């Protein structure tokens, strides 16, 4: 599903060049569950942002489902993200003063899905995640675990082929974190490709494969 070859990404920090990714090559099969680990600044979030078509790269190639990502216009990249990729962020990235239902429907506004279909799909995924009773509440009325379930529902509402989770348990207590991981793994067992960026070895242990990045390079790549 994912084929990355000799990928490099550079930034300028205080007028000095900084290599966030250095000649990275990586393949991930459809349906895999992969943890990407590394200390702060190692390059793991940069790699996730490129995989998620949120960031560009300076050299190398990236193909997602056979599509050359670098050749796409901004409009086509946005369409690809909306159709194929779901995102779950540590800080939830929800609209706090809007309802749970509105937040879950949000990705469908971009492709002008009819409202009746939006509501139906959002309600269905909220029911699967045990959040039906909260659909009319504003997000700022929810607990951290409930917010993460809403973020997951939003990521899943368009049935993405690829699910990217950035520290999905980082802001949660241990029990709620386990529940969120089980929900992510359920989607993976249904065939969704799952990539988790984490610093937590216990979270990484849930995945079939762990990739460790240091100084912009892959230094370890192993399967359970």
């Amino acid at each position: 599903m994912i084929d990355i070859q000799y990928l490099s990404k550079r930034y300028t920090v205080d007028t000095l060049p900084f290599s966030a990714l250095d000649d990275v090559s990586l393949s991930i099969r459809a349906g895999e569950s992969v943890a990407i680990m590394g200390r702060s600044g190692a390059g793991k979030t940069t790699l996730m942002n490129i995989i998620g078509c949120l960031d560009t790269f300076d050299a190398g190639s990236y193909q997602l489902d056979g599509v050359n990502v670098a050749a796409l216009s901004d409009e086509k990249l946005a369409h690809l993200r909306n159709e194929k990729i779901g995102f779950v962020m540590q800080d939830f990235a929800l609209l706090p003063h809007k309802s749970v239902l509105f937040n879950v429907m949000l990705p469908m506004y971009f492709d002008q899905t009819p409202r009746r279909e939006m509501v139906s799909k959002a309600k269905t995924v909220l029911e699967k995640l045990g959040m039906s009773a909260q659909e009319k509440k504003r997000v700022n009325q929810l607990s951290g675990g409930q917010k993460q379930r809403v973020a997951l529902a939003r990521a899943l509402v368009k049935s993405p082929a690829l699910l990217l989770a950035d520290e999905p348990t980082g802001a949660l207590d241990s029990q709620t974190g386990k529940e969120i991981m089980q929900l992510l793994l359920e989607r993976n067992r249904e065939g969704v490709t799952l990539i988790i960026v984490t610093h937590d070895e216990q979270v990484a242990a849930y995945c079939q494969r762990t990739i460790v990045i240091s100084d912009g390079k892959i230094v370890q790549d192993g399967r359970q």
Side-chain angles (χ1 to χ4, degrees), residues 49-57 62-64 67-87 110 158 162:
N49 287 341
I50 290 173
I51 290 174
C53 303
L54 294 170
D55 201 357
T56 58
F57 48 93
Y62 170 31
Q63 292 200 7
L64 176 60
V67 175
N68 180 7
V69 170
L72 299 180
S73 65
D74 289 345
E75 183 179 353
K76 288 184 177 179
L77 276 174
H79 179 75
L80 182 67
R81 282 194 302 269
N82 199 38
E83 291 300 315
K84 283 191 176 289
I85 306 173
F87 297 90
F110 296 114
K158 288 179 64 67
L162 173 61

Side-chain angles (χ1 to χ4, degrees), residues 105 108 113-123 157:
M105 291 193 301
M108 293 182 284
T113 301
R115 180 170 178 80
R116 182 177 295 181
E117 184 179 343
M118 284 197 295
V119 171
S120 175
K121 287 183 174 181
K123 285 177 176 286
V157 74

Side-chain angles (χ1 to χ4, degrees), residues 160-189:
L162 173 61
L163 189 58
L164 300 178
D166 188 5
E167 300 285 5
T169 65
L172 307 176
D173 63 80
S174 59
Q175 181 56 40
T176 305
K178 289 178 183 178
E179 293 172 2
I180 292 299
M181 284 306 304
Q182 290 302 324
L183 291 170
L184 288 168
L185 292 171
E186 283 176 19
R187 305 291 84 77
N188 176 244
R189 287 191 289 270

Side-chain angles (χ1 to χ4, degrees), residues 20-173:
L21 294 175
D22 185 9
D23 211 24
V24 168
S25 293
L26 172 66
S27 293
I28 297 174
R29 299 191 303 266
E32 274 197 282
S33 60
V34 180
I36 299 177
M37 299 191 71
R39 68 180 188 277
S40 179
K44 59 187 186 297
T45 299
T46 299
L47 179 58
M48 189 197 75
N49 287 341
I50 290 173
I51 290 174
C53 303
L54 294 170
D55 201 357
T56 58
F57 48 93
D58 298 311
S61 66
Y62 170 31
Q63 292 200 7
L64 176 60
D65 266 355
V67 175
N68 180 7
V69 170
L72 299 180
S73 65
D74 289 345
E75 183 179 353
K76 288 184 177 179
L77 276 174
H79 179 75
L80 182 67
R81 282 194 302 269
N82 199 38
E83 291 300 315
K84 283 191 176 289
I85 306 173
F87 297 90
V88 181
M89 303 301 184
Q90 180 180 359
D91 63 357
F92 315 125
L94 300 169
L95 299 176
H97 299 292
K98 294 291 187 179
S99 71
V100 166
L101 190 64
F102 178 88
N103 272 274
V104 176
M105 291 193 301
L106 197 56
M108 293 182 284
Y109 279 97
F110 296 114
D111 61 5
Q112 299 180 330
T113 301
R115 180 170 178 80
R116 182 177 295 181
E117 184 179 343
M118 284 197 295
V119 171
S120 175
K121 287 183 174 181
K123 285 177 176 286
T124 296
V125 72
L126 283 169
E127 183 177 2
K128 286 183 178 180
L129 298 181
M131 289 293 293
S132 291
Q134 316 298 329
E135 67 179 45
K136 294 182 180 179
K137 285 187 177 180
R138 293 192 304 274
V139 164
N140 60 8
Q141 297 175 299
L142 304 179
S143 68
Q146 288 173 325
K147 289 176 183 176
Q148 195 62 299
R149 285 174 183 259
V150 175
L152 181 54
R154 182 189 57 193
L156 294 171
V157 74
K158 288 179 64 67
S159 301
L162 173 61
L163 189 58
L164 300 178
D166 188 5
E167 300 285 5
T169 65
L172 307 176
D173 63 80

Side-chain angles (χ1 to χ4, degrees), residues 18-22 24 36-44 47 211-220:
F18 169 72
S19 183
L21 294 175
D22 185 9
V24 168
I36 299 177
M37 299 191 71
R39 68 180 188 277
S40 179
K44 59 187 186 297
L47 179 58
I211 294 169
V212 180
I213 296 182
S214 179
D215 297 326
K217 294 179 178 290
I218 293 176
V219 296
Q220 182 180 328

